[in-house]
Amino acid sequence: KQEVTQIPAALSVPEGENLVLNCSFTDSAIYNLQWFRQDPGKGLTSLLLIQSSQREQTSGRLNASLDKSSGRSTLYIAASQPGDSATYLCAVIKGGAQKLVFGQGTRLTINP
Amino acid sequence: DAGVTQSPTHLIKTRGQQVTLRCSPKSGHDTVSWYQQALGQGPQFIFQYYEEEERQRGNFPDRFSGHQFPNYSSELNVNALLLGDSALYLCASSLVGRASGEQYFGPGTRLTVT
C-alpha cells in the first residue's frame, strides 16, 4: 500500500527566505508526482507535476525534484512572500486508474 | 476555458439524511474522481468514473455512490449520513490516456453533518 508522508507538518519562516518542503513515498513504482497548494477551506491548485521519467520541474519561484529510487520529492520555494502562505500537498499516482495518494500536507506561514 | 466546477459550495445535513453533490469537469476532460478531505488531513480517494462507469474505488462504504452522465459531469451520493462524513468533498477531472495524468480540482463542497 502506497503511503505518502510530508515533513514538517507546519513551517513558519520570515519573508524573503528560501525554503524546502519534503515529501516521501513508500512505493517507488509511481507514474508521476504532483504538488498542490490549498488555501484555507478552498480546493486544490496544481503547482507542478513531475512525470516518473523526469528529475525536476520549475515554475517561476518554484522548483520540484523527484528521486524515485529513494522515494523522495522536494518543493523548493525561492524568495518566499506572505502570499505563499498556504498548505502544500504532494500526491503520487500509479499508472492505470490515475488514483492520487496524498500526504497530509505542510502548513506554511510566511511572516512579513 | 471553464475549470472544474462543483455545487453546492456548502451544505448542512442531519444524521441519517441523504446528500447529492455535483461536479462538472474541465472542458475536454472525460474522467471524474471524488475525494474526501477531513479537517487537517490530506484528501482520500473515494472513486473514479469514466465512460459512465465506476473505474476504481477507495476504501469507502457502499453508502457512498456515484454516477457519471453522458456529458461527463458527475454526482456523488451519500446515504445515511454520519457525523464523520463531515468534510470537504473535492472533485477532480482528468483525461484518460493522457501521458501526464494531471488532475485538476474544483473548489470543493463543504458538508457539515449535525
Side-chain angles (χ1 to χ4, degrees):
Chain A
K1 177 186 173 186
Q2 177 72 270
E3 293 185 359
V4 180
T5 303
Q6 292 185 249
I7 296 174
L11 182 64
S12 181
V13 301
E15 180 179 3
E17 281 202 2
N18 303 324
L19 58 99
V20 174
L21 306 181
N22 296 296
C23 172
S24 61
F25 46 94
T26 54
D27 184 351
S28 63
I30 63 170
Y31 190 63
N32 63 38
L33 183 145
Q34 202 167 349
W35 281 94
F36 295 90
R37 169 189 172 133
Q38 185 174 34
D39 293 294
K42 304 296 185 183
L44 306 183
T45 299
S46 180
L47 297 173
L48 290 165
L49 178 142
I50 310 177
Q51 297 185 42
S52 61
S53 59
Q54 299 174 321
R55 297 281 296 186
E56 64 178 290
Q57 281 285 342
T58 298
S59 176
R61 294 182 294 109
L62 305 180
N63 176 275
S65 68
L66 174 63
D67 184 344
K68 282 180 56 180
S69 61
S70 66
R72 294 180 183 274
S73 176
T74 61
L75 179 66
Y76 175 82
I77 302 177
S80 58
Q81 304 170 358
D84 295 331
S85 297
T87 295
Y88 290 80
L89 294 148
C90 72
V92 298
I93 194 166
K94 295 193 74 171
Q98 304 180 323
K99 166 189 168 183
L100 282 169
V101 179
F102 284 86
Q104 293 195 322
T106 294
R107 188 172 69 253
L108 176 64
T109 303
I110 307 299
N111 301 304
Chain B
D1 179 19
V4 180
T5 60
Q6 292 186 244
S7 63
T9 305
H10 296 91
L11 206 51
I12 300 175
K13 290 287 188 178
T14 305
R15 275 180 300 175
Q17 287 188 316
Q18 178 264 344
V19 68
T20 297
L21 311 182
R22 296 176 176 82
C23 170
S24 290
K26 180 178 168 66
S27 178
H29 283 183
D30 57 9
T31 302
V32 173
S33 301
W34 287 92
Y35 293 81
Q36 179 196 66
Q37 186 179 25
L39 200 61
Q41 303 294 316
Q44 298 290 317
F45 176 76
I46 302 175
F47 43 52
Q48 183 180 87
Y49 277 84
Y50 169 65
E51 291 188 336
E52 303 179 47
E53 296 207 351
E54 185 180 290
R55 193 164 178 239
Q56 191 178 16
R57 189 179 184 91
N59 189 25
F60 280 80
D62 292 344
R63 297 186 298 108
F64 290 77
S65 64
H67 188 77
Q68 186 179 34
F69 299 93
N71 66 353
Y72 307 120
S73 67
S74 176
E75 289 182 348
L76 164 65
N77 301 292
V78 187
N79 295 321
L81 285 166
L82 304 174
L83 295 179
D85 295 331
S86 295
L88 181 66
Y89 288 84
L90 296 163
C91 168
S93 75
S94 56
L95 187 61
V96 166
R98 183 174 177 177
S100 70
E102 186 167 8
Q103 300 201 15
Y104 296 82
F105 281 78
T109 293
R110 170 70 63 186
L111 172 65
T112 302
V113 182
T114 63

